[in-house]
Amino acid sequence: MNNKVTVIYAHPYTGSFDHAILESVTAELSAKNSEYEVIDLYQDNFDPVYSNEELRLFSSGIAVDPKVKAYQEKLKSSDALIFIFPVWWYGLPAIVKGFIDKVMLNNFAYVDTNTGIKGLLSLDKCLTITTSKSPTWYLKYFGGNNIQKVFLNLTLKGVGVKQTKWVNFGSIKQSNAQTRKDFLQKIRQAVAKLL
């Protein structure tokens, strides 16, 4: 049985390599007859900034933005996630951070306990695919390893994602057509394993 996959994509430029990654991911999902949906944060004009009203209701876990409610419904019916975004300043683009802040709400994605949070989402797996100007080894050993340590190991596992994997295309400025083609093939294999 194929998993229902939700792809969360964040890049403003349709000519980017991130967009080529998105196309490879969706092509592989289609080839495997997997049910999937794409959340394109920029195309949706998602607002990552909290309003006064949203913060007032934060502790109750109530969403005001209709897009947030729609995203939550998609996540509820998902078995796996795929994030695609560029690494900016060693971490998440603001729009992805805002997605986490506004969508992963109390009583939806987690509940508070005496020892921290307990995840409520029953997501089996998450594949996170990123691109960066820095080499991957630099992000891991000198750039704080924020994607692995914070986003995957703390944030996603904290809301209930059981298995996470990160694949980065580093040194994008020095890449050529062949290295990009090879990476897209690697991504298709990673998506096939996710299923």
Side-chain angles (χ1 to χ4, degrees), residues 84-99:
I84 304 167
F85 58 84
V87 174
W88 288 346
W89 292 107
Y90 306 103
L92 309 178
I95 203 165
V96 178
K97 180 66 168 67
F99 176 87

Side-chain angles (χ1 to χ4, degrees), residues 56-137:
R56 186 180 71 75
L57 296 169
F58 177 79
S59 62
S60 63
I62 296 172
V64 175
D65 185 341
K67 287 178 187 157
V68 168
K69 294 175 185 176
Y71 295 160
Q72 287 179 337
E73 287 303 311
K74 289 178 182 182
L75 294 182
K76 266 197 253 184
S77 66
S78 298
D79 301 299
L81 300 178
I82 300 175
F83 280 89
I84 304 167
F85 58 84
V87 174
W88 288 346
W89 292 107
Y90 306 103
L92 309 178
I95 203 165
V96 178
K97 180 66 168 67
F99 176 87
I100 298 298
D101 290 346
K102 292 174 75 171
V103 175
M104 303 300 188
L105 290 175
N106 185 26
N107 299 322
F108 166 71
Y110 71 92
V111 288
D112 290 311
T113 72
N114 291 336
T115 56
I117 64 170
K118 177 185 176 189
L120 297 178
L121 297 180
S122 56
L123 291 158
D124 295 326
K125 299 176 185 177
C126 177
L127 173 62
T128 298
I129 308 163
T130 59
T131 57
S132 65
K133 283 195 233 177
S134 299
T136 304
W137 60 264

